[in-house]
């Protein structure tokens, strides 16, 4: 009977039975989604209805864009499990992109070879000039399921980037610029039109040249004191900082913070994606432009769930993620209020070992040792005369 009970626990995603006197901090999630476990034949994604996704701001995997308001990205079995089970929970409603199931994605340059992908809502669909920001959340990205080599590499990156200090790191940023290089509106600059006519490109535009684009390497190089200015750059369109949009996005982050605070899961190396419309009405009065921002179309969603784990009953909430989220919310609040980037206060978590207790990095080991010492003291106190 005991063996059957352990088997039922594993089927519910709990790997490793609790031994007497110990309470594991991390409860392992199932490593396979249902489609992977049952060896289902996935519907193949046709290249006839896809195109390169030009608005991808971060991530190292290639994303393709469908013509029906969807994108398809490669996914691991754990991420498939997340979308099949966790993302459907009521507490996650509206916090992640809508999922339309798994597909077999053709691998570029590999002939008939395919890989598993997840079909998701395209958050940039319907935008003329989408501005996109990808921020990786959490003080520690060394997930328990990674190899020793990979965990060491993650820990090294965490130490020298804003991940370890702020709990958030910019993985990609694309901000549309209203003004052209001549400091005039792109749609009314005579010099730009002259160049377009001379090169035979009248009526067309180079989308990438209209954007300021920073990649993950730029984000890794940011220092603690530069983080707020980097986020502010996302809202600067070459003419002004769109502060009211920052305020709208702050409000969209609050439900995510509430969910994370009482979450049954821990999110390693997960991100928050921000999207807003870069195009503006042709108005010269700045006050009118700011009022128009109050009704701007925006999206704020959690993305990237390749390393999500259930956590034990005694340890609700993802404190590592929440610390980064609170700092990010402070930055957005400062931008919305017109505070200069250098005056926005952020909390430095560099030396906070307790935030790493869930993972197997060096700080996590020392935090778990501290927990053991506290439990020993409590046991001694109970038996003291």
């Amino acid at each position: 009977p005991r063996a059957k009970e352990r088997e039922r626990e594993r089927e519910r995603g709990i790997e490793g039975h609790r031994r007497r006197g110990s309470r594991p901090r991390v409860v392992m999630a199932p490593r396979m989604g249902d489609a992977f476990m049952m060896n289902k034949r996935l519907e193949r994604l046709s290249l006839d209805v896809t195109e390169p996704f030009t608005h991808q701001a971060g991530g190292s995997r290639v994303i393709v864009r469908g013509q029906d308001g969807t994108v398809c990205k490669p996914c691991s079995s754990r991420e498939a499990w997340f979308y099949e089970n966790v993302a459907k929970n009521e507490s996650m409603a509206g916090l992640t992109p809508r999922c339309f199931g798994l597909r077999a994605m053709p691998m570029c340059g590999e002939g008939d070879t395919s890989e598993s992908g997840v079909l998701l809502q395209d958050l940039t669909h319907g935008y003329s000039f989408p501005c996109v920001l990808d921020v990786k959340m959490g003080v520690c990205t060394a997930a328990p399921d990674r190899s020793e080599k990979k965990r060491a590499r993650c820990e090294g990156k965490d130490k020298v980037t804003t991940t370890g200090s702020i709990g958030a790191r910019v993985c990609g940023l694309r901000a549309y610029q209203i003004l052209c290089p001549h400091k005039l509106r792109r749609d009314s600059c005579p010099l730009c039109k002259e160049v377009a006519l001379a090169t035979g490109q009248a009526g067309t535009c180079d989308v990438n040249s209209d954007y300021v684009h920073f990649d993950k390497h730029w984000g890794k190089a940011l220092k603690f004191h530069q983080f707020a200015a980097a986020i502010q750059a996302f809202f600067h369109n070459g003419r002004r900082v769109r502060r009211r949009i920052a305020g709208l996005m702050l409000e969209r982050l609050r439900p995510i913070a509430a969910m994370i605070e009482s979450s049954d899961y821990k999110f390693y190396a997960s991100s928050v994606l921000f999207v807003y419309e870069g195009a503006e009405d042709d108005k010269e009065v700045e006050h009118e432009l700011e009022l128009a921002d109050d009704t701007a179309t925006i999206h704020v969603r959690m993305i990237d769930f390749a390393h999500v784990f259930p956590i034990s009953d005694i340890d609700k909430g993802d404190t590592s993620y929440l610390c980064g989220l609170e700092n990010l919310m402070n930055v957005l609040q400062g931008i919305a209020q017109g505070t200069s980037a250098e005056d926005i206060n952020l909390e430095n978590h560099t030396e906070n070992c307790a935030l790493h207790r869930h993972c197997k990095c060096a700080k996590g080991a020392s935090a778990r040792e501290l927990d053991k010492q506290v439990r020993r003291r409590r046991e001694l106190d109970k038996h003291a005369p």
Side-chain angles (χ1 to χ4, degrees):
R2 191 62 179 161
K4 290 182 179 180
E5 184 179 344
R6 284 198 296 269
E7 186 62 27
R8 284 195 295 269
E9 287 180 341
R10 290 192 189 97
E11 290 174 357
R12 289 198 301 267
I14 303 176
E15 294 179 6
H17 182 62
R18 290 180 181 174
R19 296 179 180 176
R20 184 176 299 174
S22 67
R23 290 177 178 267
R25 289 289 183 177
V26 176
V27 184
M28 302 299 286
R31 298 192 62 181
M32 296 290 181
D34 291 343
F36 290 82
M37 289 291 285
M38 299 172 65
N39 196 25
K40 288 183 179 178
R41 185 177 180 87
L42 299 178
E43 180 183 344
R44 192 172 178 85
L45 187 71
S46 173
L47 287 177
D48 295 337
V49 295
T50 63
E51 60 183 16
F53 186 54
T54 57
H55 301 303
Q56 184 173 351
S60 57
R61 308 296 295 275
V62 176
I63 297 177
V64 294
R65 183 181 196 176
Q67 297 176 350
D68 54 353
T70 60
V71 293
C72 195
K73 57 163 283 189
C75 75
S76 65
S77 55
R78 185 175 290 273
E79 188 162 20
W81 162 81
F82 176 87
Y83 278 111
E84 289 172 346
N85 298 276
V86 184
K88 295 178 180 178
N89 294 344
E90 186 177 347
S91 62
M92 298 288 294
L95 304 184
T96 65
R98 289 195 299 275
C99 177
F100 303 102
L102 301 179
R103 297 291 187 275
M105 292 181 62
M107 295 181 67
C108 184
E110 298 291 336
D112 293 333
T113 307
S114 63
E115 60 182 331
S116 298
V118 60
L119 195 65
L120 300 171
Q121 171 192 6
D122 177 7
L123 296 176
T124 67
H125 183 67
Y127 288 78
S128 299
F129 298 98
C131 300
V132 183
L133 173 66
D134 183 334
V135 183
K136 190 182 294 292
M137 304 303 302
V139 174
C140 179
T141 61
D145 63 332
R146 295 185 186 272
S147 65
E148 293 291 337
K149 184 177 180 181
K150 181 64 174 177
R151 278 200 300 268
R153 195 157 69 238
C154 289
E155 185 180 357
K157 283 190 289 188
D158 294 346
K159 286 179 180 178
V160 299
T161 64
T162 56
T163 289
S165 57
I166 294 174
R169 183 172 84 228
V170 175
C171 287
L173 184 159
R174 283 172 57 86
Y176 178 70
Q177 301 298 285
I178 288 291
L179 302 184
C180 71
H182 308 107
K183 301 302 178 183
L184 299 172
R185 287 187 63 94
R186 291 184 179 276
D187 54 5
S188 60
C189 176
L191 295 176
C192 285
K193 289 181 179 179
E194 185 178 336
V195 171
L197 288 170
T199 56
Q201 296 179 341
T204 66
C205 66
D206 181 358
V207 172
N208 290 322
S209 69
D210 297 345
Y211 284 84
V212 169
H213 186 194
F214 297 110
D215 62 11
K216 63 180 181 180
H217 302 292
W218 179 82
K220 288 177 184 177
L222 291 173
K223 304 302 180 185
F224 180 87
H225 64 278
Q226 298 172 323
F227 181 79
I231 300 299
Q232 183 169 284
F234 173 59
F235 298 99
H236 201 297
N237 63 7
R239 179 180 183 180
R240 65 190 181 94
V241 177
R242 302 184 70 175
R243 304 189 186 280
R244 298 199 181 198
I245 290 181
L248 293 177
M249 290 186 167
L250 172 62
E251 295 305 313
R252 297 288 181 90
L253 278 182
R254 297 194 192 281
I256 295 178
M259 186 278 295
I260 291 292
E261 191 171 8
S262 59
S263 175
D264 294 324
Y265 300 91
K266 184 161 179 62
F267 299 82
Y268 290 94
S270 183
S271 294
V272 175
L273 192 73
F274 301 85
V275 184
Y276 73 88
E277 176 58 74
E280 285 187 323
D281 293 334
D282 189 9
K283 298 176 180 177
E284 295 300 326
V285 182
E286 186 166 336
H287 177 65
E288 293 181 3
L289 291 172
E290 290 178 352
L291 290 177
D293 283 348
D294 286 337
T295 56
T297 304
I298 66 170
H299 280 108
V300 178
R301 295 286 193 279
M302 298 173 67
I303 60 170
D304 298 339
F305 305 106
H307 305 283
V308 178
F309 297 84
I311 54 181
S312 62
D313 294 338
I314 62 172
D315 216 10
K316 296 289 185 182
D318 187 344
T319 51
S320 173
Y321 194 115
L322 191 61
C323 287
L325 204 56
E326 288 173 348
N327 272 333
L328 184 56
M329 291 170 73
N330 286 339
V331 172
L332 292 180
Q333 183 173 11
I335 294 172
Q337 294 175 346
T339 307
S340 61
E342 57 269 21
D343 292 332
I344 296 176
N345 293 321
L346 300 176
E347 188 171 353
N348 194 328
H349 300 291
T350 302
E351 302 302 325
N352 191 345
C353 292
L355 296 175
H356 299 256
R357 60 171 27 94
H358 287 282
C359 58
K360 297 179 181 178
C361 66
K363 283 188 178 182
S366 60
R368 288 192 295 275
E369 183 59 35
L370 288 174
D371 288 346
K372 290 180 182 178
Q373 292 176 13
V374 170
R375 283 196 292 270
R376 288 195 200 105
R377 290 196 205 99
R378 287 176 179 172
E379 289 298 320
L380 290 173
D381 291 341
K382 285 181 182 178
H383 297 93

